[in-house]
């Protein structure tokens, strides 16, 4: 057996140790990628069949106290037109998402201290009360364990917090000096131990990122065992320090989607909007490389053009009805059906919860 065949056999079984992915990533070629995708699709199909899960994202505030070098809504970007949605507006938007058939709503914002824990809990409770069959995912950044516990007790089911990179040196280059990878990891571990379905992930082709950094991401993810893994290409934003760096590639993103599917057959892995931004068929290609989740934006149209993490973001003009119809059509065209379930991680059992916040 040649070295190549040995590696193929191991990664095909999801047994290649992360350290050994470096040559596979560095020496990838279209033929290898196609082989990887066919294995990833098979693995995905064995767990999820033809179904793709939808998540309705509500980007409810683009205020951010943080200052990540890659992000268009960073605090220092004085050109970003800021907005915040009220509790009532968020509930209305969640109601629309529900009426279009979404059974998960993702509440996403910058790190916005204007929403107290009580308010976040109130919003979560409102949604869970009005639409008990809908899962609530939060994606509102780094908080204390106590805050995470309160949101969970209020009914939040899942939490997305990309680790961004598991490399301490790269983290320092991407993030402001006061944000530490140690705290990010602490957050993810707290979220896990509280009982959330947890999402981590990273950008591909971020400035200064090397293959070794990606290997560290794989090692980290293997340890964390997140239920969800969100990855997408880095795309520069014109009003950030990283404006002149090239975007990551669709090709590397797809390859890593395939790798992640083989390593984590049961993970919920979205084909992200950033992927769809770099390639009009990016999300379809993502699904065909091993992803199984699509996250259409259902924010009110007047806010969509303001939640700009990167330049050129798609779906800033459409409304929620159009986006869900569009996704249904697009998925049907590649032989997938849209699931109408909450789309929890396989085998997930909701634990008993204390009421209140
Ligand atoms: N390009 C691509 N992805 C980005 N994100 C933030 N800024 C960018 C960018 N310029 C991603 C981060 C963040 C998620 C919400 O969006 O990974 O966690
Ligand atoms: Fe928004 Fe297609 S997903 S228009």
């Amino acid at each position: 057996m040649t070295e190549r065949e040995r590696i193929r056999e191991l990664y095909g079984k999801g047994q290649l140790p992360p350290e050994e992915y470096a040559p596979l990533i560095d020496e990838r070629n279209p033929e290898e990628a196609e082989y990887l995708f066919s294995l990833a699709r098979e693995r995905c199909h064995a767990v999820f069949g033809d179904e793709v899960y939808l998540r309705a994202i509500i980007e409810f505030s683009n205020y951010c106290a943080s200052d990540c070098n890659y992000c268009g809504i960073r605090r220092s970007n004085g050109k970003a037109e800021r907005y915040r949605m009220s509790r009532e507006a968020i509930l209305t938007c969640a109601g629309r998402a529900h009426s279009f058939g979404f059974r998960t709503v993702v509440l996403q914002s910058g790190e916005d201290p204007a929403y107290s824990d009580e308010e976040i809990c109130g919003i979560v409770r409102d949604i869970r009360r009005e639409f008990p069959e809908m899962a609530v995912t939060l994606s509102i950044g780094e908080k204390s364990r106590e805050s995470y516990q309160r949101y969970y007790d209020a009914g939040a089911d899942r939490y997305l917090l990309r680790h961004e990179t598991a490399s301490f040196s790269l983290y320092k280059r991407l993030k402001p000096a006061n944000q530490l990878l140690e705290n990010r990891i602490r957050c993810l571990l707290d979220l896990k131990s509280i009982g959330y379905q947890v999402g981590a992930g990273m950008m591909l082709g971020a400035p200064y990122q090397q293959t070794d950094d990606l290997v560290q991401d794989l090692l980290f993810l293997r340890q964390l065992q997140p239920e969800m893994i969100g990855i997408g290409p880095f795309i520069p934003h014109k009003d950030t320090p990283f404006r002149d760096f090239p975007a990551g590639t669709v090709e590397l993103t797809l390859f890593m989607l395939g790798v992640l599917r083989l390593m984590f057959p049961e993970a919920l892995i979205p084909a992200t909007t950033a992927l769809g931004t770099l390639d009009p068929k990016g999300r379809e290609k993502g699904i065909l490389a091993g992803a199984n989740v699509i996250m259409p934006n259902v924010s009110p149209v007047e806010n969509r053009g303001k939640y700009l993490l990167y330049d050129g973001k798609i779906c800033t003009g459409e409304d929620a009805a159009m986006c869900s119809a569009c996704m249904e059509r697009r998925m049907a065209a590649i032989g997938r059906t849209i699931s109408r379930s909450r789309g929890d991680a396989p085998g997930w059992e909701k634990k008993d919860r204390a009421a209140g916040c």
Side-chain angles (χ1 to χ4, degrees), residues 4-221:
R4 195 57 161 193
E5 285 164 350
R6 183 187 71 84
I7 288 184
R8 269 191 165 195
E9 186 176 319
L10 279 179
Y11 81 68
K13 291 186 192 153
Q15 289 171 359
L16 189 67
E19 313 81 60
E20 292 204 45
Y21 271 102
L24 194 74
I25 296 169
D26 281 336
E27 294 157 30
R28 68 190 187 277
N29 58 46
E31 189 204 343
E32 192 70 45
E34 272 317 315
Y35 176 65
L36 172 72
F37 300 155
S38 67
L39 293 178
R41 279 195 298 271
E42 237 171 67
R43 192 64 55 83
C44 192
H45 189 270
V47 180
F48 298 99
D50 284 334
E51 290 200 321
V52 167
Y53 297 130
L54 288 190
R55 318 303 198 195
I57 303 202
I58 304 176
E59 296 156 340
F60 67 92
S61 161
N62 70 350
Y63 280 85
C64 194
S66 189
D67 220 17
C68 303
N69 290 326
Y70 48 82
C71 185
I73 62 168
R74 66 200 301 268
R75 183 185 55 208
S76 304
N77 181 9
K79 294 190 183 156
E81 207 184 314
R82 307 286 171 171
Y83 70 90
R84 282 191 183 103
M85 286 169 65
S86 66
R87 179 168 171 171
E88 295 69 33
I90 296 170
L91 189 64
T92 304
C93 195
R96 292 194 71 214
H98 183 266
S99 70
F100 295 132
F102 289 99
R103 290 297 174 264
T104 292
V105 68
V106 181
L107 303 178
Q108 187 166 76
S109 69
E111 302 244 358
D112 186 354
Y115 295 85
S116 64
D117 284 354
E118 283 71 21
E119 279 172 287
I120 297 293
C121 289
I123 294 164
V124 171
R125 262 195 260 105
D126 283 352
I127 298 177
R128 296 302 315 264
R129 188 183 322 108
E130 293 276 323
F131 314 107
E133 65 279 42
M134 196 148 73
V136 175
T137 303
L138 292 176
S139 178
I140 57 175
E142 295 180 20
K143 306 277 181 181
S144 66
R145 185 188 171 99
E146 292 67 38
S147 297
Y148 288 146
Q149 184 70 56
R150 294 179 77 181
Y151 312 149
Y152 184 79
D153 293 341
D157 302 276
R158 311 187 190 126
Y159 204 103
L160 303 180
L161 184 73
R162 288 191 183 177
H163 65 286
E164 311 296 0
T165 173
S167 145
F168 284 88
S169 53
L170 181 57
Y171 199 88
K172 285 204 175 80
R173 304 181 93 158
L174 301 182
K175 294 277 191 175
N178 64 352
Q179 257 192 294
L180 299 179
L181 179 54
E182 287 88 337
N183 193 51
R184 199 90 176 163
I185 295 173
R186 190 272 305 158
C187 289
L188 287 163
L189 296 177
D190 281 346
L191 290 162
K192 267 258 169 193
S193 73
I194 288 169
Y196 285 94
Q197 296 172 58
V198 172
M202 63 279 184
M203 290 180 294
L204 277 313
Y208 310 108
Q209 189 182 56
Q210 309 282 317
T211 305
D212 266 1
D213 299 315
L214 296 179
V215 170
Q216 295 209 39
D217 288 326
L218 297 179
L219 283 163
F220 172 73
L221 290 168

